[in-house]
Amino acid sequence: MSDQYREGTAKKRVVIVGGGFTGLRAARILGNRDDLDIVLIDRRNYHLFQPLLYQVAMSALDEGDIAAPLRNMLANYNNITVYKGIVERVNAESKTVTTDFGEVAYDYLILACGVRHHYFGNNGWEQYAPGLKTISQAKEIRRRVLEAYEAAERTNDPVERKKLLTFVIVGGGPTGVELAGSIGEMSRYTLSKLYRQIDPKLTRIFIVEAAPRILGTFDRNLASKATRSLEQLGVQIWTNSMVSDVDENGVQIGNERIEAATVLWAAGVTAIAIPNDMGAETDRIGRFVVEGDLSIPGHPEIFVGGDQACLLNEAGKPLPGMAPVAIQEGHFIGKTILRDLKGKERKPFKYTDKGQMATIGKNRAIVEIGNIQFDGAPAWFTWLLVHIYYLTSFKHRVFVLMQWGWSYFTFGFGARLIVNREWRFYPDSNTCPKDPPL
Amino acid sequence: MSDQYREGTAKKRVVIVGGGFTGLRAARILGNRDDLDIVLIDRRNYHLFQPLLYQVAMSALDEGDIAAPLRNMLANYNNITVYKGIVERVNAESKTVTTDFGEVAYDYLILACGVRHHYFGNNGWEQYAPGLKTISQAKEIRRRVLEAYEAAERTNDPVERKKLLTFVIVGGGPTGVELAGSIGEMSRYTLSKLYRQIDPKLTRIFIVEAAPRILGTFDRNLASKATRSLEQLGVQIWTNSMVSDVDENGVQIGNERIEAATVLWAAGVTAIAIPNDMGAETDRIGRFVVEGDLSIPGHPEIFVGGDQACLLNEAGKPLPGMAPVAIQEGHFIGKTILRDLKGKERKPFKYTDKGQMATIGKNRAIVEIGNIQFDGAPAWFTWLLVHIYYLTSFKHRVFVLMQWGWSYFTFGFGARLIVNREWRFYPDSNTCPKDPPL
């Protein structure tokens, strides 16, 4: 790309790496200003509303419902250019980033790449146990879950059938609970009348959690209510259970073993690493440790926000990797750059705790805001409204609301399509291929 | 699967291979009867409304809008069992089909597998020039088109840029015209304000057609109007032009060559072949030649319908591979089986010609019903209404209508997401990978 903005202008160049919650919010704060030129780079061309990814995995929504092209979202900001590309290296010395389409110079740099799944060193497990951070993974999970039921319908072998109708979710945080609850609801309600050879209600669902209880970030009482709720949907919860191995036939938990055709990973994340010369410290999951103003120590022009940043709160604990944190940090970084331009002194970032929620199924959820706790249908509606509000465009709000409305009243759970994972061209023979590439 | 229905009952077993227009309609005709046991087998778990696939390819719709799970569509027919599987062989001698999950016996067999793309013996071309018969292909086309614009935005090389902004569609029938018109509309309207480095209106779009004119099945005048309409959207039409080679850089047409990053195949289809012992004749594109009642000569219990069948009309020409033909044939086959059960004599199939349509873009389409011809906005609205009507569930009609309504008024063209084609797990290193598997 040509770097024409740099010559002979008074504009400051801000490079934003990552078009998620943090990067998008920062871009909007800095948009439409004559004194700034913004370049936003993302390896994908869309902004993804991650909290609803599990809905795509469970076929209640399609990818178009929870994602929108970055280009469109920023089209009205005439000082923002969007590139789909990969940042390969940060060169703090020369104030440039190396991308797969050239070098890009910056006056300010915002790193907001997020996290990816972490298998605690056992990367071989990933092919057996997909995580849920991307649309591709959500579609893959959808495919595996539905294929399991199709295969169970076809088989005569009862042991094979039991394995096909067994789902193991590794990790008992909100994501694991959402996945388990969805499969529970799907098997006990949505799919119950659709099969002739099998009874979907016989589905076994396990949450395998290494800690002493699930939903460790929530109050003990609420987590307990969630546990009861999950059990009513047929979910068995194994705590104090650390997975020691995962293969194509199931999971090993010390001396115990569960045979399952589908294993889903909701257990650990690690920050996306970018080679750099910033000399920055990272925490044990790879997040950059930042100053109080979210900048890299020694590099006040480089900010990190969202899941990729590690900022300690007053209690000395890092802020969680949640959407409200990411959004507030993006907002703060944008405003801080504007303060710089006006010559004002920077202030430290202060997170306004909006609480936390986890959903299990229709009318089943938990909400905790400070000292306020509630569950059941009011919690579920709260969860629904908050997520609809935060979806980032009017169209999305209306359509998602209607999709959900439809699913809610019919337990229909949307499209529920299996689309095979790859587009592969046919080999020479045009007979019915054994492995359908369609 | 256990074949429990066969022992000691008076029920006739009907096996339907393929859940497209033909198979689905036949199933519904035969559903909910005490004297019939229906088994429907499809290699996919969903019914696909193919006429709107190009809308998915052009990002106006998502796959969930044009497809629905077969299991749901047939849930209320208690005598129909749906299996996701592949039929590997028809054994007319023993009246069974061999599938990838076992042998299935039948009293009646309905083959309705449809067609796949045909590259006239040049199967190596398929990787460079995807066709448009499946959701995977539609998503792949979407990905390639959008990636071309992203790459053009990033590059500094004007020749590379020109190639990236060039699209070649091979085949000038309705599908090719729809694709070309969509890309034309997208480039001249929808994308025009979204890029900073390129001008999408400079996109070159070619239809390459071997015959003397495009839309050969339509009246000459209508085809001529369509040509003018396409040219107004920037599409260049090359007739009497047969593609002699396709590679990753473009197409060769005899001595001429067009360099294009994206080539789409809309030129030829061939029936999906199933190994069999029926002794049936096939036409030059592999379709089974059927009797007047759509059965295989010598096997009155085996029917073929839809694109997989070749039935000659009164003029000695085969019926076209169109949705109305497929639907009417499915209906007829179902009714014919019912006549058999009542001991009535079979009648020959008679196609009621519903005409044909092709759409180019907003307010641009052609409609021909018998001697009636019209184009422009009335034709486009007709096309719209007919397609919405035939969409197979209430939900689909309402949602697709609203999606289109949105796109129509905003030229927004839906989600327009690129989702990389494979879910591949990360290699050991968790640095930003060069080839994003996300």
Side-chain angles (χ1 to χ4, degrees):
Chain A
M1 52 157 277
S2 52
D3 226 355
Q4 65 261 30
Y5 284 110
R6 303 313 307 291
E7 281 110 48
T9 91
K11 292 192 195 197
K12 297 282 189 191
R13 154 75 65 76
V14 181
V15 171
I16 304 175
V17 185
F21 286 125
T22 300
L24 194 62
R25 179 58 64 97
R28 285 172 160 163
I29 297 290
L30 301 170
N32 276 339
R33 295 182 62 95
D34 292 334
D35 54 357
L36 285 177
D37 162 43
I38 320 290
V39 168
L40 189 144
I41 306 169
D42 195 302
R43 71 180 63 198
R44 302 185 293 225
N45 78 331
Y46 55 89
H47 167 75
L48 175 63
F49 191 75
Q50 287 191 42
L52 290 180
L53 257 182
Y54 87 98
Q55 293 261 349
V56 173
M58 294 294 114
S59 305
L61 292 177
D62 276 328
E63 65 227 44
D65 298 321
I66 65 164
L70 283 163
R71 209 167 274 301
N72 288 50
M73 298 174 85
L74 299 172
N76 292 330
Y77 299 95
N78 49 24
N79 67 332
I80 300 180
T81 308
V82 175
Y83 290 102
K84 177 177 179 290
I86 300 176
V87 170
E88 297 167 347
R89 196 182 162 78
V90 171
N91 311 301
E93 183 83 27
S94 55
K95 288 197 184 176
T96 62
V97 289
T98 306
T99 75
D100 62 347
F101 54 95
E103 298 281 311
V104 183
Y106 64 82
D107 295 299
Y108 288 97
L109 175 65
I110 304 174
L111 298 176
C113 304
V115 291
R116 56 176 301 275
H117 273 294
H118 185 49
Y119 290 83
F120 307 112
N122 302 291
N123 291 330
W125 292 353
E126 186 163 5
Q127 54 180 316
Y128 304 120
L132 188 58
K133 289 298 273 177
T134 71
I135 288 179
S136 289
Q137 289 172 328
K139 303 297 279 299
E140 178 61 17
I141 290 172
R142 179 196 291 192
R143 194 191 70 84
R144 289 190 190 198
V145 170
L146 296 180
E147 285 278 8
Y149 281 99
E150 294 294 341
E153 176 82 335
R154 290 193 306 255
T155 186
N156 277 332
D157 177 355
V159 174
E160 177 72 11
R161 184 168 281 173
K162 182 175 83 162
K163 180 176 149 192
L164 287 165
L165 294 182
T166 301
F167 299 85
V168 172
I169 290 96
V170 182
T175 301
V177 163
E178 281 162 357
L179 283 171
S182 300
I183 298 175
E185 199 168 55
M186 191 191 290
S187 60
R188 265 101 189 124
Y189 295 100
T190 318
L191 302 182
S192 62
K193 295 190 179 52
L194 296 183
Y195 292 84
R196 306 275 177 259
Q197 308 298 333
I198 61 171
D199 179 3
K201 290 193 288 299
L202 297 175
T203 303
R204 299 188 304 167
I205 308 158
F206 297 88
I207 291 179
V208 179
E209 167 60 51
R213 65 174 175 94
I214 61 169
L215 297 168
T217 59
F218 286 80
D219 174 83
R220 186 172 294 276
N221 286 334
L222 268 186
S224 186
K225 288 186 170 147
T227 300
R228 298 288 92 71
S229 211
L230 283 161
E231 286 169 349
Q232 283 164 12
L233 288 175
V235 180
Q236 300 182 35
I237 296 170
W238 289 21
T239 52
N240 291 310
S241 298
M242 182 171 297
V243 167
S244 45
D245 198 19
V246 181
D247 59 42
E248 66 214 345
N249 293 315
V251 297
Q252 191 73 29
I253 302 148
N255 289 330
E256 300 182 295
R257 179 167 182 80
I258 304 172
E259 291 261 305
T262 311
V263 179
L264 307 178
W265 193 263
V269 293
T270 179
I272 289 184
I274 307 178
N276 65 86
D277 62 346
M278 303 188 293
E281 187 191 331
T282 55
D283 70 359
R284 60 174 187 79
I285 59 171
R287 297 181 295 189
F288 291 113
V289 178
V290 291
E291 305 273 32
D293 63 359
L294 299 183
S295 66
I296 294 285
H299 292 283
E301 72 284 357
I302 301 178
F303 296 92
V304 188
D307 293 0
Q308 205 177 12
C310 174
L311 175 73
L312 305 179
N313 65 11
E314 290 122 3
K317 292 184 64 176
L319 289 177
M322 286 169 54
V325 177
I327 295 171
Q328 290 185 29
E329 288 181 350
H331 186 96
F332 171 87
I333 292 171
K335 292 294 192 186
T336 299
I337 292 176
L338 295 182
R339 289 179 76 85
D340 272 18
L341 295 181
K342 291 184 209 150
K344 294 186 183 176
E345 209 179 295
R346 294 189 182 182
K347 298 191 210 173
F349 172 70
K350 195 159 158 38
Y351 173 57
T352 307
D353 195 338
K354 299 273 181 86
Q356 48 178 344
M357 302 182 290
T359 185
I360 296 150
K362 188 162 147 181
N363 293 334
R364 301 167 189 269
I366 52 175
V367 175
E368 182 174 333
I369 310 174
N371 289 328
I372 301 171
Q373 302 177 12
F374 54 103
D375 66 310
W380 190 70
F381 275 108
T382 303
W383 174 90
L384 201 72
L385 291 174
V386 168
H387 282 79
I388 291 176
Y389 177 78
Y390 274 100
L391 276 180
T392 47
S393 79
F394 171 76
K395 173 195 167 204
H396 280 167
R397 283 180 204 155
V398 172
F399 281 172
V400 170
L401 185 57
M402 284 182 311
Q403 284 265 46
W404 275 341
W406 187 262
S407 295
Y408 181 86
F409 289 111
T410 64
F411 268 115
F413 268 159
R416 238 178 32 259
L417 304 177
I418 300 175
V419 179
N420 276 32
R421 101 191 72 169
E422 290 183 42
W423 173 74
R424 261 178 285 147
F425 63 101
Y426 278 104
D428 283 344
S429 157
N430 62 2
T431 55
C432 281
K434 269 205 95 60
D435 180 28
L438 302 175
Chain B
M1 54 160 275
S2 53
D3 226 354
Q4 65 262 32
Y5 283 111
R6 300 319 304 294
E7 281 111 49
T9 91
K11 292 193 194 197
K12 297 282 189 190
R13 154 76 64 75
V14 181
V15 171
I16 304 175
V17 185
F21 286 124
T22 300
L24 194 62
R25 178 59 63 96
R28 285 174 160 161
I29 297 293
L30 301 169
N32 277 339
R33 294 181 62 95
D34 292 334
D35 53 357
L36 285 177
D37 162 42
I38 319 289
V39 168
L40 188 145
I41 306 169
D42 195 301
R43 70 180 63 198
R44 302 185 294 224
N45 79 330
Y46 56 89
H47 167 76
L48 174 63
F49 190 76
Q50 288 191 40
L52 290 180
L53 257 182
Y54 86 99
Q55 293 261 348
V56 172
M58 294 294 114
S59 306
L61 293 177
D62 276 327
E63 63 226 48
D65 297 321
I66 65 165
L70 283 163
R71 209 168 273 302
N72 289 49
M73 298 174 83
L74 299 171
N76 292 332
Y77 298 96
N78 49 23
N79 66 332
I80 299 180
T81 307
V82 176
Y83 290 101
K84 177 175 179 291
I86 299 176
V87 169
E88 296 168 345
R89 194 179 165 78
V90 170
N91 311 302
E93 184 84 25
S94 55
K95 288 196 182 173
T96 63
V97 290
T98 307
T99 76
D100 63 348
F101 54 96
E103 299 280 311
V104 184
Y106 63 82
D107 295 297
Y108 287 98
L109 175 64
I110 305 174
L111 298 177
C113 304
V115 292
R116 57 176 299 275
H117 272 294
H118 185 51
Y119 291 82
F120 307 112
N122 302 291
N123 291 329
W125 292 353
E126 186 162 4
Q127 55 179 317
Y128 304 121
L132 188 58
K133 288 299 273 178
T134 72
I135 287 179
S136 289
Q137 287 171 331
K139 303 296 281 296
E140 177 62 16
I141 290 172
R142 179 196 291 194
R143 194 192 68 84
R144 289 191 188 198
V145 170
L146 295 180
E147 285 278 8
Y149 281 99
E150 294 293 342
E153 176 82 335
R154 291 193 304 256
T155 187
N156 277 332
D157 177 353
V159 174
E160 178 71 11
R161 183 168 281 175
K162 183 176 83 163
K163 181 177 148 192
L164 287 165
L165 295 180
T166 301
F167 300 84
V168 173
I169 289 98
V170 182
T175 302
V177 163
E178 282 163 356
L179 283 171
S182 300
I183 299 176
E185 200 170 56
M186 191 191 291
S187 59
R188 265 100 190 123
Y189 294 101
T190 317
L191 303 181
S192 61
K193 295 190 180 53
L194 297 183
Y195 293 84
R196 307 274 177 259
Q197 309 296 333
I198 61 172
D199 179 4
K201 290 193 288 299
L202 296 176
T203 302
R204 299 186 306 166
I205 308 159
F206 297 87
I207 290 179
V208 179
E209 166 61 52
R213 65 175 175 94
I214 61 170
L215 297 168
T217 58
F218 284 80
D219 173 83
R220 188 172 295 275
N221 285 334
L222 267 187
S224 187
K225 287 184 170 151
T227 300
R228 296 288 90 72
S229 210
L230 284 161
E231 286 169 347
Q232 283 164 13
L233 288 176
V235 180
Q236 300 183 35
I237 295 170
W238 289 21
T239 51
N240 291 309
S241 298
M242 182 171 297
V243 167
S244 45
D245 197 19
V246 182
D247 60 41
E248 66 213 347
N249 293 314
V251 297
Q252 191 74 28
I253 302 147
N255 289 330
E256 299 183 295
R257 180 170 182 78
I258 304 172
E259 289 264 304
T262 311
V263 180
L264 307 179
W265 192 262
V269 293
T270 180
I272 289 184
I274 308 179
N276 66 86
D277 61 346
M278 304 187 292
E281 189 191 331
T282 56
D283 69 359
R284 60 173 187 80
I285 59 172
R287 298 182 294 189
F288 291 113
V289 179
V290 291
E291 306 272 32
D293 63 358
L294 299 182
S295 67
I296 294 285
H299 292 284
E301 73 284 357
I302 301 178
F303 296 92
V304 187
D307 293 1
Q308 206 178 12
C310 174
L311 176 73
L312 304 180
N313 65 10
E314 289 122 4
K317 293 185 62 179
L319 288 177
M322 285 169 55
V325 177
I327 295 172
Q328 288 184 31
E329 288 180 349
H331 186 95
F332 171 86
I333 292 171
K335 292 293 191 187
T336 299
I337 291 177
L338 295 182
R339 288 180 77 85
D340 272 17
L341 294 180
K342 292 185 208 144
K344 292 187 182 174
E345 211 179 293
R346 292 189 183 182
K347 297 191 208 173
F349 172 71
K350 197 158 155 40
Y351 173 57
T352 307
D353 196 338
K354 300 275 182 86
Q356 50 177 343
M357 303 181 288
T359 185
I360 296 150
K362 188 162 147 179
N363 292 335
R364 303 167 187 270
I366 52 174
V367 175
E368 182 173 334
I369 309 174
N371 289 329
I372 301 170
Q373 300 176 12
F374 52 104
D375 65 309
W380 190 70
F381 275 107
T382 303
W383 175 90
L384 203 71
L385 290 173
V386 167
H387 282 78
I388 291 177
Y389 177 78
Y390 275 100
L391 276 180
T392 46
S393 79
F394 171 76
K395 173 191 167 208
H396 279 167
R397 282 181 202 151
V398 172
F399 281 172
V400 171
L401 186 55
M402 285 184 307
Q403 284 265 45
W404 275 341
W406 187 262
S407 296
Y408 181 86
F409 290 111
T410 64
F411 267 116
F413 266 161
R416 237 178 32 262
L417 304 176
I418 299 173
V419 179
N420 277 33
R421 101 191 72 171
E422 288 183 46
W423 173 73
R424 262 178 287 148
F425 64 99
Y426 279 105
D428 282 342
S429 158
N430 63 0
T431 54
C432 281
K434 268 206 95 61
D435 181 26
L438 300 178

